[in-house]
Short mmCIF file of all heavy atoms in Angstrom, two decimals:
data_model
loop_
_atom_site.label_atom_id
_atom_site.label_comp_id
_atom_site.label_asym_id
_atom_site.label_seq_id
_atom_site.Cartn_x
_atom_site.Cartn_y
_atom_site.Cartn_z
N MET A 1 0.86 -1.20 0.00
CA MET A 1 0.00 -0.01 0.00
C MET A 1 0.89 1.24 0.00
O MET A 1 1.80 1.36 0.79
CB MET A 1 -0.90 0.00 1.24
CG MET A 1 -2.14 -0.82 1.00
SD MET A 1 -3.63 0.05 1.52
CE MET A 1 -3.64 -0.22 3.27
N SER A 2 0.53 2.14 -0.88
CA SER A 2 1.32 3.36 -0.94
C SER A 2 0.69 4.42 -0.05
O SER A 2 -0.53 4.53 0.06
CB SER A 2 1.40 3.87 -2.38
OG SER A 2 0.10 4.20 -2.82
N ARG A 3 1.53 5.19 0.56
CA ARG A 3 1.03 6.26 1.42
C ARG A 3 0.54 7.41 0.56
O ARG A 3 1.19 7.74 -0.43
CB ARG A 3 2.12 6.72 2.36
CG ARG A 3 2.23 5.79 3.54
CD ARG A 3 3.31 6.16 4.49
NE ARG A 3 3.66 7.58 4.47
CZ ARG A 3 4.42 8.13 5.41
NH1 ARG A 3 4.91 7.39 6.40
NH2 ARG A 3 4.75 9.40 5.36
N LYS A 4 -0.54 7.99 0.98
CA LYS A 4 -1.07 9.13 0.23
C LYS A 4 -0.22 10.34 0.45
O LYS A 4 0.19 10.65 1.55
CB LYS A 4 -2.51 9.43 0.68
CG LYS A 4 -3.55 8.64 -0.06
CD LYS A 4 -4.92 9.17 0.25
CE LYS A 4 -5.95 8.36 -0.54
NZ LYS A 4 -7.33 8.71 -0.16
N LYS A 5 0.02 11.01 -0.66
CA LYS A 5 0.81 12.27 -0.58
C LYS A 5 -0.06 13.33 0.07
O LYS A 5 -1.25 13.45 -0.14
CB LYS A 5 1.18 12.69 -1.99
CG LYS A 5 2.08 13.91 -2.02
CD LYS A 5 2.70 14.06 -3.39
CE LYS A 5 3.43 15.37 -3.51
NZ LYS A 5 4.42 15.63 -2.44
N ARG A 6 0.60 14.10 0.92
CA ARG A 6 -0.08 15.20 1.56
C ARG A 6 0.55 16.52 1.21
O ARG A 6 1.74 16.62 1.03
CB ARG A 6 -0.12 15.01 3.10
CG ARG A 6 -1.00 13.86 3.44
CD ARG A 6 -1.08 13.60 4.92
NE ARG A 6 -1.77 12.32 5.15
CZ ARG A 6 -3.09 12.18 5.15
NH1 ARG A 6 -3.86 13.21 4.98
NH2 ARG A 6 -3.63 11.01 5.34
N TYR A 7 -0.32 17.52 1.09
CA TYR A 7 0.13 18.85 0.69
C TYR A 7 -0.14 19.83 1.81
O TYR A 7 -1.19 19.81 2.44
CB TYR A 7 -0.62 19.31 -0.55
CG TYR A 7 -0.48 18.40 -1.74
CD1 TYR A 7 -1.23 17.25 -1.89
CD2 TYR A 7 0.46 18.68 -2.73
CE1 TYR A 7 -1.08 16.40 -2.96
CE2 TYR A 7 0.63 17.85 -3.82
CZ TYR A 7 -0.15 16.71 -3.93
OH TYR A 7 0.00 15.88 -5.01
N THR A 8 0.80 20.72 2.03
CA THR A 8 0.61 21.75 3.06
C THR A 8 0.26 23.06 2.38
O THR A 8 1.03 23.55 1.55
CB THR A 8 1.88 21.92 3.89
OG1 THR A 8 2.23 20.66 4.46
CG2 THR A 8 1.65 22.92 5.03
N VAL A 9 -0.90 23.59 2.72
CA VAL A 9 -1.33 24.88 2.21
C VAL A 9 -1.01 25.92 3.26
O VAL A 9 -1.54 25.88 4.38
CB VAL A 9 -2.85 24.89 1.88
CG1 VAL A 9 -3.27 26.27 1.38
CG2 VAL A 9 -3.16 23.82 0.85
N LYS A 10 -0.17 26.85 2.92
CA LYS A 10 0.20 27.91 3.85
C LYS A 10 -0.46 29.22 3.46
O LYS A 10 -0.35 29.63 2.30
CB LYS A 10 1.71 28.10 3.90
CG LYS A 10 2.40 26.96 4.58
CD LYS A 10 3.91 27.16 4.63
CE LYS A 10 4.60 25.89 5.10
NZ LYS A 10 5.97 25.83 4.69
N THR A 11 -1.14 29.83 4.38
CA THR A 11 -1.83 31.09 4.06
C THR A 11 -1.43 32.17 5.06
O THR A 11 -1.11 31.90 6.20
CB THR A 11 -3.36 30.87 4.16
OG1 THR A 11 -3.72 30.41 5.45
CG2 THR A 11 -3.81 29.88 3.11
N ALA A 12 -1.50 33.41 4.56
CA ALA A 12 -1.26 34.58 5.41
C ALA A 12 -2.38 35.58 5.12
O ALA A 12 -2.53 36.02 3.99
CB ALA A 12 0.10 35.18 5.14
N CYS A 13 -3.13 35.92 6.15
CA CYS A 13 -4.27 36.82 5.97
C CYS A 13 -3.76 38.26 5.73
O CYS A 13 -2.97 38.78 6.52
CB CYS A 13 -5.16 36.78 7.18
SG CYS A 13 -6.50 37.98 7.15
N PRO A 14 -4.23 38.88 4.64
CA PRO A 14 -3.77 40.24 4.36
C PRO A 14 -4.39 41.26 5.35
O PRO A 14 -3.89 42.37 5.49
CB PRO A 14 -4.27 40.52 2.94
CG PRO A 14 -5.40 39.57 2.74
CD PRO A 14 -5.12 38.39 3.62
N GLN A 15 -5.46 40.88 6.02
CA GLN A 15 -6.14 41.83 6.91
C GLN A 15 -5.54 41.82 8.33
O GLN A 15 -5.20 42.85 8.87
CB GLN A 15 -7.64 41.51 6.97
CG GLN A 15 -8.43 42.52 7.78
CD GLN A 15 -9.91 42.47 7.43
OE1 GLN A 15 -10.30 42.81 6.31
NE2 GLN A 15 -10.72 42.06 8.38
N CYS A 16 -5.43 40.64 8.92
CA CYS A 16 -4.94 40.59 10.30
C CYS A 16 -3.53 40.03 10.41
O CYS A 16 -2.90 40.12 11.45
CB CYS A 16 -5.89 39.80 11.21
SG CYS A 16 -5.87 38.02 10.86
N GLY A 17 -3.04 39.48 9.31
CA GLY A 17 -1.66 39.03 9.28
C GLY A 17 -1.41 37.67 9.88
O GLY A 17 -0.28 37.22 9.92
N CYS A 18 -2.46 36.99 10.32
CA CYS A 18 -2.25 35.69 10.91
C CYS A 18 -1.93 34.65 9.83
O CYS A 18 -2.38 34.78 8.70
CB CYS A 18 -3.43 35.24 11.75
SG CYS A 18 -4.81 34.68 10.74
N THR A 19 -1.14 33.67 10.19
CA THR A 19 -0.79 32.67 9.22
C THR A 19 -1.34 31.31 9.66
O THR A 19 -1.58 31.07 10.85
CB THR A 19 0.74 32.54 9.08
OG1 THR A 19 1.29 32.27 10.36
CG2 THR A 19 1.35 33.79 8.51
N ALA A 20 -1.57 30.45 8.69
CA ALA A 20 -2.09 29.12 9.00
C ALA A 20 -1.51 28.14 8.00
O ALA A 20 -1.17 28.50 6.88
CB ALA A 20 -3.62 29.14 8.92
N ALA A 21 -1.40 26.90 8.45
CA ALA A 21 -0.94 25.83 7.56
C ALA A 21 -1.96 24.69 7.67
O ALA A 21 -2.29 24.27 8.77
CB ALA A 21 0.44 25.37 7.93
N THR A 22 -2.46 24.27 6.53
CA THR A 22 -3.42 23.16 6.52
C THR A 22 -2.85 22.04 5.67
O THR A 22 -2.35 22.29 4.59
CB THR A 22 -4.76 23.64 5.88
OG1 THR A 22 -5.14 24.85 6.49
CG2 THR A 22 -5.85 22.61 6.12
N VAL A 23 -2.91 20.82 6.20
CA VAL A 23 -2.41 19.67 5.47
C VAL A 23 -3.60 18.94 4.85
O VAL A 23 -4.52 18.56 5.55
CB VAL A 23 -1.62 18.74 6.40
CG1 VAL A 23 -1.11 17.54 5.63
CG2 VAL A 23 -0.45 19.49 7.02
N LEU A 24 -3.54 18.77 3.54
CA LEU A 24 -4.64 18.15 2.82
C LEU A 24 -4.11 17.11 1.84
O LEU A 24 -2.97 17.23 1.35
CB LEU A 24 -5.43 19.19 2.01
CG LEU A 24 -6.12 20.30 2.82
CD1 LEU A 24 -6.53 21.44 1.91
CD2 LEU A 24 -7.33 19.74 3.54
N THR A 25 -4.93 16.13 1.55
CA THR A 25 -4.58 15.19 0.50
C THR A 25 -4.99 15.77 -0.85
O THR A 25 -5.72 16.76 -0.92
CB THR A 25 -5.34 13.86 0.68
OG1 THR A 25 -6.73 14.10 0.57
CG2 THR A 25 -5.02 13.22 2.03
N ALA A 26 -4.54 15.16 -1.94
CA ALA A 26 -4.88 15.62 -3.26
C ALA A 26 -6.40 15.63 -3.47
O ALA A 26 -6.95 16.54 -4.06
CB ALA A 26 -4.22 14.74 -4.32
N GLU A 27 -7.09 14.60 -2.94
CA GLU A 27 -8.54 14.54 -3.08
C GLU A 27 -9.21 15.70 -2.39
O GLU A 27 -10.12 16.31 -2.91
CB GLU A 27 -9.09 13.22 -2.47
CG GLU A 27 -8.80 11.98 -3.29
CD GLU A 27 -7.36 11.47 -3.10
OE1 GLU A 27 -6.72 11.91 -2.14
OE2 GLU A 27 -6.89 10.69 -3.91
N GLU A 28 -8.72 16.04 -1.21
CA GLU A 28 -9.31 17.15 -0.47
C GLU A 28 -9.04 18.47 -1.17
O GLU A 28 -9.91 19.35 -1.21
CB GLU A 28 -8.75 17.19 0.96
CG GLU A 28 -9.30 16.05 1.83
CD GLU A 28 -8.55 15.89 3.13
OE1 GLU A 28 -7.35 16.19 3.19
OE2 GLU A 28 -9.19 15.43 4.08
N LEU A 29 -7.85 18.61 -1.73
CA LEU A 29 -7.52 19.84 -2.46
C LEU A 29 -8.39 19.99 -3.70
O LEU A 29 -8.88 21.09 -4.00
CB LEU A 29 -6.04 19.83 -2.86
CG LEU A 29 -5.07 20.33 -1.77
CD1 LEU A 29 -3.67 19.85 -2.07
CD2 LEU A 29 -5.10 21.84 -1.68
N GLU A 30 -8.61 18.88 -4.39
CA GLU A 30 -9.44 18.92 -5.60
C GLU A 30 -10.84 19.35 -5.25
O GLU A 30 -11.49 20.13 -5.96
CB GLU A 30 -9.47 17.57 -6.29
CG GLU A 30 -8.28 17.37 -7.19
CD GLU A 30 -8.54 16.33 -8.27
OE1 GLU A 30 -9.55 16.45 -8.99
OE2 GLU A 30 -7.73 15.41 -8.38
N LYS A 31 -11.36 18.79 -4.15
CA LYS A 31 -12.74 19.08 -3.74
C LYS A 31 -12.85 20.54 -3.27
O LYS A 31 -13.80 21.22 -3.59
CB LYS A 31 -13.14 18.15 -2.58
CG LYS A 31 -14.57 17.65 -2.68
CD LYS A 31 -14.93 16.80 -1.48
CE LYS A 31 -14.40 15.35 -1.60
NZ LYS A 31 -14.69 14.57 -0.39
N ARG A 32 -11.88 20.98 -2.54
CA ARG A 32 -11.95 22.29 -1.89
C ARG A 32 -11.62 23.44 -2.86
O ARG A 32 -12.25 24.46 -2.89
CB ARG A 32 -11.04 22.35 -0.69
CG ARG A 32 -11.30 23.53 0.22
CD ARG A 32 -10.41 23.58 1.42
NE ARG A 32 -10.69 22.51 2.37
CZ ARG A 32 -10.28 22.58 3.66
NH1 ARG A 32 -9.62 23.62 4.11
NH2 ARG A 32 -10.56 21.60 4.47
N TYR A 33 -10.58 23.23 -3.65
CA TYR A 33 -10.13 24.33 -4.51
C TYR A 33 -10.14 23.97 -5.98
O TYR A 33 -10.35 24.85 -6.81
CB TYR A 33 -8.68 24.70 -4.15
CG TYR A 33 -8.51 25.11 -2.68
CD1 TYR A 33 -7.72 24.34 -1.85
CD2 TYR A 33 -9.11 26.24 -2.19
CE1 TYR A 33 -7.55 24.69 -0.50
CE2 TYR A 33 -8.94 26.62 -0.86
CZ TYR A 33 -8.14 25.83 -0.01
OH TYR A 33 -7.99 26.17 1.27
N GLY A 34 -9.93 22.73 -6.30
CA GLY A 34 -9.80 22.36 -7.72
C GLY A 34 -8.46 22.73 -8.26
O GLY A 34 -7.56 23.14 -7.54
N HIS A 35 -8.33 22.61 -9.58
CA HIS A 35 -7.06 22.92 -10.21
C HIS A 35 -7.10 24.38 -10.69
O HIS A 35 -7.38 24.66 -11.85
CB HIS A 35 -6.79 21.97 -11.38
CG HIS A 35 -6.60 20.56 -10.90
ND1 HIS A 35 -5.44 20.14 -10.32
CD2 HIS A 35 -7.44 19.50 -10.93
CE1 HIS A 35 -5.56 18.86 -10.01
NE2 HIS A 35 -6.77 18.45 -10.35
N VAL A 36 -6.90 25.24 -9.76
CA VAL A 36 -7.00 26.65 -10.07
C VAL A 36 -5.68 27.38 -9.81
O VAL A 36 -4.87 26.94 -8.98
CB VAL A 36 -8.10 27.31 -9.20
CG1 VAL A 36 -9.48 26.79 -9.61
CG2 VAL A 36 -7.86 27.07 -7.74
N PRO A 37 -5.47 28.53 -10.52
CA PRO A 37 -4.24 29.28 -10.27
C PRO A 37 -4.29 30.06 -8.95
O PRO A 37 -3.26 30.40 -8.41
CB PRO A 37 -4.17 30.22 -11.47
CG PRO A 37 -5.51 30.27 -12.06
CD PRO A 37 -6.24 29.02 -11.66
N ASN A 38 -5.53 30.33 -8.47
CA ASN A 38 -5.66 31.05 -7.21
C ASN A 38 -6.63 30.36 -6.28
O ASN A 38 -7.71 29.93 -6.70
CB ASN A 38 -6.18 32.48 -7.46
CG ASN A 38 -5.16 33.34 -8.19
OD1 ASN A 38 -4.15 33.74 -7.58
ND2 ASN A 38 -5.38 33.60 -9.42
N PHE A 39 -6.26 30.24 -5.01
CA PHE A 39 -7.16 29.66 -4.02
C PHE A 39 -8.03 30.77 -3.42
O PHE A 39 -7.53 31.85 -3.13
CB PHE A 39 -6.35 29.04 -2.85
CG PHE A 39 -5.59 27.82 -3.20
CD1 PHE A 39 -4.69 27.31 -2.30
CD2 PHE A 39 -5.81 27.14 -4.38
CE1 PHE A 39 -3.96 26.15 -2.58
CE2 PHE A 39 -5.10 25.98 -4.67
CZ PHE A 39 -4.19 25.48 -3.76
N ASP A 40 -9.29 30.45 -3.23
CA ASP A 40 -10.16 31.37 -2.46
C ASP A 40 -10.10 30.89 -1.03
O ASP A 40 -10.44 29.76 -0.72
CB ASP A 40 -11.60 31.32 -2.99
CG ASP A 40 -11.70 31.99 -4.35
OD1 ASP A 40 -11.07 33.06 -4.49
OD2 ASP A 40 -12.41 31.48 -5.21
N LEU A 41 -9.71 31.77 -0.11
CA LEU A 41 -9.46 31.38 1.26
C LEU A 41 -10.23 32.25 2.23
O LEU A 41 -10.67 33.36 1.90
CB LEU A 41 -7.96 31.56 1.56
CG LEU A 41 -7.04 30.74 0.64
CD1 LEU A 41 -5.63 31.31 0.73
CD2 LEU A 41 -7.04 29.29 1.04
N GLU A 42 -10.44 31.70 3.42
CA GLU A 42 -11.06 32.51 4.48
C GLU A 42 -10.20 32.42 5.71
O GLU A 42 -9.78 31.33 6.13
CB GLU A 42 -12.48 31.95 4.77
CG GLU A 42 -13.24 32.80 5.75
CD GLU A 42 -14.64 32.27 6.00
OE1 GLU A 42 -15.50 32.48 5.12
OE2 GLU A 42 -14.87 31.67 7.02
N CYS A 43 -9.92 33.58 6.31
CA CYS A 43 -9.08 33.61 7.49
C CYS A 43 -9.81 33.02 8.69
O CYS A 43 -10.96 33.31 8.93
CB CYS A 43 -8.71 35.07 7.78
SG CYS A 43 -7.75 35.24 9.29
N GLY A 44 -9.14 32.14 9.41
CA GLY A 44 -9.74 31.51 10.57
C GLY A 44 -9.84 32.46 11.77
O GLY A 44 -10.58 32.18 12.70
N GLU A 45 -9.14 33.55 11.75
CA GLU A 45 -9.13 34.49 12.86
C GLU A 45 -10.18 35.59 12.67
O GLU A 45 -11.06 35.79 13.50
CB GLU A 45 -7.75 35.12 13.02
CG GLU A 45 -6.69 34.13 13.49
CD GLU A 45 -6.95 33.64 14.90
OE1 GLU A 45 -7.42 34.46 15.74
OE2 GLU A 45 -6.71 32.47 15.18
N CYS A 46 -10.07 36.33 11.56
CA CYS A 46 -10.94 37.49 11.38
C CYS A 46 -12.00 37.23 10.30
O CYS A 46 -12.81 38.12 10.02
CB CYS A 46 -10.13 38.73 11.02
SG CYS A 46 -9.39 38.67 9.37
N LEU A 47 -12.00 36.06 9.70
CA LEU A 47 -13.00 35.65 8.70
C LEU A 47 -12.97 36.48 7.42
O LEU A 47 -13.89 36.44 6.64
CB LEU A 47 -14.42 35.65 9.30
CG LEU A 47 -14.61 34.77 10.53
CD1 LEU A 47 -16.06 34.84 11.00
CD2 LEU A 47 -14.22 33.32 10.27
N ALA A 48 -11.89 37.20 7.21
CA ALA A 48 -11.74 37.92 5.94
C ALA A 48 -11.58 36.91 4.80
O ALA A 48 -10.97 35.86 4.98
CB ALA A 48 -10.53 38.84 5.99
N ARG A 49 -12.17 37.24 3.67
CA ARG A 49 -12.01 36.39 2.52
C ARG A 49 -10.95 37.01 1.61
O ARG A 49 -10.92 38.19 1.40
CB ARG A 49 -13.34 36.29 1.75
CG ARG A 49 -14.36 35.49 2.53
CD ARG A 49 -15.62 35.30 1.73
NE ARG A 49 -16.44 34.26 2.35
CZ ARG A 49 -16.22 32.95 2.13
NH1 ARG A 49 -15.31 32.56 1.27
NH2 ARG A 49 -16.99 32.05 2.72
N PHE A 50 -10.09 36.15 1.11
CA PHE A 50 -9.05 36.64 0.22
C PHE A 50 -8.63 35.49 -0.69
O PHE A 50 -8.99 34.34 -0.46
CB PHE A 50 -7.85 37.16 1.01
CG PHE A 50 -7.22 36.19 1.96
CD1 PHE A 50 -6.07 35.49 1.59
CD2 PHE A 50 -7.77 35.94 3.18
CE1 PHE A 50 -5.49 34.58 2.43
CE2 PHE A 50 -7.20 35.02 4.09
CZ PHE A 50 -6.06 34.33 3.69
N SER A 51 -7.91 35.83 -1.71
CA SER A 51 -7.39 34.79 -2.58
C SER A 51 -5.87 34.86 -2.59
O SER A 51 -5.28 35.92 -2.40
CB SER A 51 -7.95 34.91 -4.01
OG SER A 51 -7.49 36.07 -4.60
N ALA A 52 -5.25 33.73 -2.77
CA ALA A 52 -3.80 33.68 -2.82
C ALA A 52 -3.40 32.78 -3.98
O ALA A 52 -4.06 31.78 -4.27
CB ALA A 52 -3.26 33.10 -1.50
N PRO A 53 -2.29 33.13 -4.65
CA PRO A 53 -1.83 32.30 -5.75
C PRO A 53 -1.48 30.90 -5.23
O PRO A 53 -0.81 30.78 -4.19
CB PRO A 53 -0.59 33.02 -6.26
CG PRO A 53 -0.67 34.39 -5.72
CD PRO A 53 -1.44 34.30 -4.44
N ALA A 54 -1.96 29.89 -5.95
CA ALA A 54 -1.64 28.51 -5.54
C ALA A 54 -0.12 28.30 -5.48
O ALA A 54 0.37 27.55 -4.64
CB ALA A 54 -2.29 27.53 -6.50
N ALA A 55 0.58 28.99 -6.35
CA ALA A 55 2.03 28.85 -6.42
C ALA A 55 2.68 29.27 -5.08
O ALA A 55 3.73 28.76 -4.73
CB ALA A 55 2.62 29.67 -7.55
N GLU A 56 2.02 30.19 -4.37
CA GLU A 56 2.56 30.62 -3.08
C GLU A 56 2.01 29.82 -1.93
O GLU A 56 2.71 29.49 -0.98
CB GLU A 56 2.21 32.11 -2.84
CG GLU A 56 3.12 33.07 -3.59
CD GLU A 56 2.69 34.53 -3.41
OE1 GLU A 56 2.08 34.83 -2.37
OE2 GLU A 56 2.99 35.32 -4.28
N ALA A 57 0.70 29.57 -1.99
CA ALA A 57 0.06 28.88 -0.88
C ALA A 57 0.48 27.41 -0.80
O ALA A 57 0.68 26.87 0.27
CB ALA A 57 -1.46 28.97 -1.00
N CYS A 58 0.61 26.81 -1.97
CA CYS A 58 0.99 25.40 -2.00
C CYS A 58 1.69 25.05 -3.31
O CYS A 58 1.09 24.57 -4.27
CB CYS A 58 -0.26 24.52 -1.82
SG CYS A 58 0.14 22.76 -1.62
N PRO A 59 2.99 25.35 -3.40
CA PRO A 59 3.74 25.15 -4.63
C PRO A 59 3.65 23.70 -5.18
O PRO A 59 3.61 23.51 -6.38
CB PRO A 59 5.20 25.48 -4.22
CG PRO A 59 5.07 26.33 -3.01
CD PRO A 59 3.83 25.86 -2.33
N GLU A 60 3.61 22.75 -4.26
CA GLU A 60 3.54 21.35 -4.70
C GLU A 60 2.23 21.05 -5.43
O GLU A 60 2.24 20.33 -6.43
CB GLU A 60 3.65 20.41 -3.47
CG GLU A 60 5.06 20.16 -3.06
CD GLU A 60 5.12 19.02 -2.07
OE1 GLU A 60 4.42 19.10 -1.04
OE2 GLU A 60 5.82 18.07 -2.34
N TRP A 61 1.14 21.60 -4.91
CA TRP A 61 -0.15 21.37 -5.55
C TRP A 61 -0.19 22.10 -6.89
O TRP A 61 -0.73 21.61 -7.88
CB TRP A 61 -1.28 21.84 -4.64
CG TRP A 61 -2.64 21.69 -5.26
CD1 TRP A 61 -3.53 22.65 -5.59
CD2 TRP A 61 -3.28 20.44 -5.63
NE1 TRP A 61 -4.65 22.12 -6.14
CE2 TRP A 61 -4.53 20.76 -6.16
CE3 TRP A 61 -2.89 19.11 -5.56
CZ2 TRP A 61 -5.41 19.80 -6.65
CZ3 TRP A 61 -3.78 18.14 -6.04
CH2 TRP A 61 -5.00 18.50 -6.55
N ASP A 62 0.38 23.31 -6.92
CA ASP A 62 0.44 24.10 -8.15
C ASP A 62 1.17 23.30 -9.24
O ASP A 62 0.77 23.27 -10.40
CB ASP A 62 1.12 25.43 -7.92
CG ASP A 62 0.95 26.38 -9.07
OD1 ASP A 62 -0.20 26.62 -9.46
OD2 ASP A 62 1.97 26.84 -9.61
N THR A 63 2.23 22.61 -8.85
CA THR A 63 2.97 21.79 -9.80
C THR A 63 2.11 20.67 -10.35
O THR A 63 2.11 20.39 -11.55
CB THR A 63 4.22 21.22 -9.12
OG1 THR A 63 5.00 22.29 -8.59
CG2 THR A 63 5.09 20.44 -10.10
N GLU A 64 1.35 20.05 -9.43
CA GLU A 64 0.43 18.97 -9.86
C GLU A 64 -0.61 19.52 -10.86
O GLU A 64 -0.90 18.89 -11.86
CB GLU A 64 -0.30 18.40 -8.65
CG GLU A 64 0.58 17.60 -7.71
CD GLU A 64 1.05 16.28 -8.37
OE1 GLU A 64 0.18 15.59 -8.96
OE2 GLU A 64 2.22 15.97 -8.26
N CYS A 65 -1.12 20.71 -10.56
CA CYS A 65 -2.16 21.31 -11.40
C CYS A 65 -1.65 21.62 -12.79
O CYS A 65 -2.33 21.43 -13.78
CB CYS A 65 -2.70 22.58 -10.75
SG CYS A 65 -3.60 22.30 -9.23
N ARG A 66 -0.43 22.09 -12.83
CA ARG A 66 0.14 22.47 -14.14
C ARG A 66 0.22 21.26 -15.06
O ARG A 66 0.12 21.39 -16.29
CB ARG A 66 1.52 23.07 -13.96
CG ARG A 66 1.47 24.54 -13.66
CD ARG A 66 2.83 25.08 -13.22
NE ARG A 66 2.66 26.20 -12.27
CZ ARG A 66 2.36 27.43 -12.66
NH1 ARG A 66 2.21 27.73 -13.90
NH2 ARG A 66 2.21 28.35 -11.75
N ARG A 67 0.39 20.08 -14.47
CA ARG A 67 0.43 18.87 -15.31
C ARG A 67 -0.94 18.55 -15.91
O ARG A 67 -1.03 17.87 -16.90
CB ARG A 67 0.89 17.69 -14.45
CG ARG A 67 2.36 17.72 -14.17
CD ARG A 67 2.81 16.37 -13.58
NE ARG A 67 4.02 16.59 -12.79
CZ ARG A 67 4.18 16.16 -11.53
NH1 ARG A 67 3.22 15.47 -10.97
NH2 ARG A 67 5.29 16.40 -10.91
N LYS A 68 -1.99 19.01 -15.20
CA LYS A 68 -3.36 18.68 -15.63
C LYS A 68 -4.00 19.76 -16.47
O LYS A 68 -5.06 19.53 -17.04
CB LYS A 68 -4.23 18.36 -14.41
CG LYS A 68 -3.70 17.19 -13.61
CD LYS A 68 -4.70 16.66 -12.60
CE LYS A 68 -4.15 15.44 -11.90
NZ LYS A 68 -5.12 14.82 -11.02
N ARG A 69 -3.43 20.96 -16.46
CA ARG A 69 -4.04 22.03 -17.20
C ARG A 69 -3.81 21.87 -18.67
O ARG A 69 -2.84 21.29 -19.09
CB ARG A 69 -3.44 23.37 -16.74
CG ARG A 69 -4.23 24.01 -15.60
CD ARG A 69 -3.56 25.29 -15.16
NE ARG A 69 -3.70 25.43 -13.70
CZ ARG A 69 -2.82 26.07 -12.94
NH1 ARG A 69 -1.73 26.59 -13.46
NH2 ARG A 69 -3.03 26.16 -11.64
ZN1 LIG B 101 -7.36 37.49 9.31
#
């Protein structure tokens, strides 16, 4: 059995400046964000909505997406 690859999505809220890291599998990333150049995110602290380039938030996932685009 192969272990599932996990991706770390790192975000920094432009409003309050808090940072967060979320670890997701490819399936979860596809469901939550899809293969997009920008992630739509919500800050867990101040609930501000913002978007961040996938290349910055999760370079590994961005690389995977580029193969599928
Ligand atoms: Zn915030």
Side-chain angles (χ1 to χ4, degrees):
M1 276 228 280
S2 64
R3 279 178 26 167
K4 272 191 180 172
K5 185 165 171 53
R6 290 181 190 277
Y7 301 82
T8 304
V9 178
K10 289 180 189 157
T11 58
C13 174
Q15 186 160 294
C16 71
C18 77
T19 56
T22 312
V23 179
L24 297 165
T25 62
E27 287 79 16
E28 288 167 331
L29 276 161
E30 276 203 52
K31 220 183 279 176
R32 195 179 290 201
Y33 303 115
H35 295 283
V36 292
N38 291 288
F39 289 170
D40 289 319
L41 303 161
E42 186 178 284
C43 175
E45 292 294 322
C46 71
L47 302 182
R49 291 184 165 277
F50 57 99
S51 66
E56 280 177 26
C58 188
E60 276 192 305
W61 179 244
D62 192 54
T63 304
E64 291 290 315
C65 292
R66 275 169 211 281
R67 285 192 204 130
K68 299 194 177 185
R69 269 177 216 151

